[in-house]
Amino acid sequence: MMTARTAVAVMAGMFVWYVHPQHAPWPAPESVPILDLIALHNPGAHLLLKAWWYLARLATGTTLAAAAVSAWTVWGPAARMGGVRRGSLPPDPFDLAGGEISLTVGELYHPTAPVESESPSWPSIPARGLFTGVCIVGAVGSRKTSAGMHPFGEQLLGWQPGDPERRAAGLVLEVEHDFCFAVRDMLAAAGRAADYRELSLTAEWAWNPLNEPEIDSYSLAYSVGSLLNQLFGK
């Protein structure tokens, strides 16, 4: 079924098609030598060119009209309900200066189908949920780091950055050797550049996994052996 938007676009295109040829008719014979040459050697191609000369105006008018109607539908007064555009997301519930830390994990539209929603929302994990762990699962290259860990880290590390008693801290363990640098940039953007501490053999802060006086030798050896087996196999 043809929608109202499509009908308006087609009508506008037809209007341009009927009006515009008065200002730009098909060239008269012998006015464009190349067209006369095509008509002489390939009449079919000449007929197609002449048809396209007129139909192109119909396609151009229809496309411009469809774009104008779409823009009016999205940004026009009819798309607004109480000052909020229909189907638009409400303000993000995450607040950098809020009284309780939380985590906005994405946007929620229709819960079971990939269609638009009249009332989209923000799924948010409150402080109590953050203490139970968050797992991000996806195939290799599915943007787990850029679409998950980066925005999550910016929110958590940027919450209450000026309050040393309440702002979030974390321990980052990674094997890709680039997320730590992203965390350093997040802290710098939040005004917490001095909070970044890197543990390595050459950095200001170091950690010796063998220096564990509260763990007996057998347990320590078992932990180190299990780690080596997980990283390098047998």
Side-chain angles (χ1 to χ4, degrees):
M1 181 180 294
M2 180 178 294
T3 63
R5 182 186 306 177
T6 305
V8 171
V10 172
M11 291 176 62
M14 294 179 65
F15 175 78
V16 174
W17 181 55
Y18 282 116
V19 173
H20 191 68
Q22 299 178 2
H23 305 283
W26 177 256
E30 300 183 0
S31 61
V32 181
I34 187 65
L35 292 178
D36 297 334
L37 184 63
I38 294 175
L40 178 64
H41 292 278
N42 195 336
H46 183 267
L47 182 61
L48 289 176
L49 287 174
K50 188 173 183 179
W52 177 246
W53 177 268
Y54 294 103
L55 292 177
R57 284 185 280 272
L58 174 63
T60 302
T62 303
T63 302
L64 294 176
V69 173
S70 298
W72 179 263
T73 302
V74 175
W75 292 294
R80 298 184 174 276
M81 297 176 57
V84 178
R85 185 159 52 88
R86 181 186 293 115
S88 62
L89 285 164
D92 190 343
F94 179 76
D95 185 6
L96 292 175
E100 185 178 55
I101 191 172
S102 64
L103 179 64
T104 300
V105 297
E107 304 173 6
L108 179 62
Y109 293 90
H110 196 284
T112 59
V115 296
E116 295 182 358
S117 173
E118 291 292 332
S119 56
S121 60
W122 299 92
S124 181
I125 302 177
R128 181 178 298 180
L130 296 177
F131 288 100
T132 59
V134 177
C135 179
I136 304 175
V137 181
V140 176
S142 58
R143 317 300 292 178
K144 296 184 297 296
T145 302
S146 60
M149 296 176 64
H150 281 260
F152 294 172
E154 290 174 356
Q155 292 180 70
L156 297 177
L157 297 177
W159 181 75
Q160 294 284 5
D163 189 344
E165 299 295 330
R166 304 187 65 192
R167 60 192 182 195
L171 176 63
V172 180
L173 304 175
E174 65 157 346
V175 296
E176 296 180 356
H177 306 292
D178 59 351
F179 186 65
C180 285
F181 301 133
V183 171
R184 180 184 59 188
D185 296 337
M186 295 175 194
L187 290 171
R192 301 179 52 187
D195 290 347
Y196 181 78
R197 293 292 185 270
E198 184 175 338
L199 301 179
S200 69
L201 296 177
T202 58
E204 177 185 0
W205 294 72
W207 170 59
N208 183 2
L210 300 179
N211 183 21
E212 295 290 349
E214 298 181 357
I215 301 179
D216 60 272
S217 300
Y218 177 82
S219 299
L220 181 60
Y222 179 81
S223 300
V224 174
S226 299
L227 178 62
L228 293 175
N229 187 42
Q230 293 175 9
L231 293 177
F232 304 105
K234 295 183 179 180

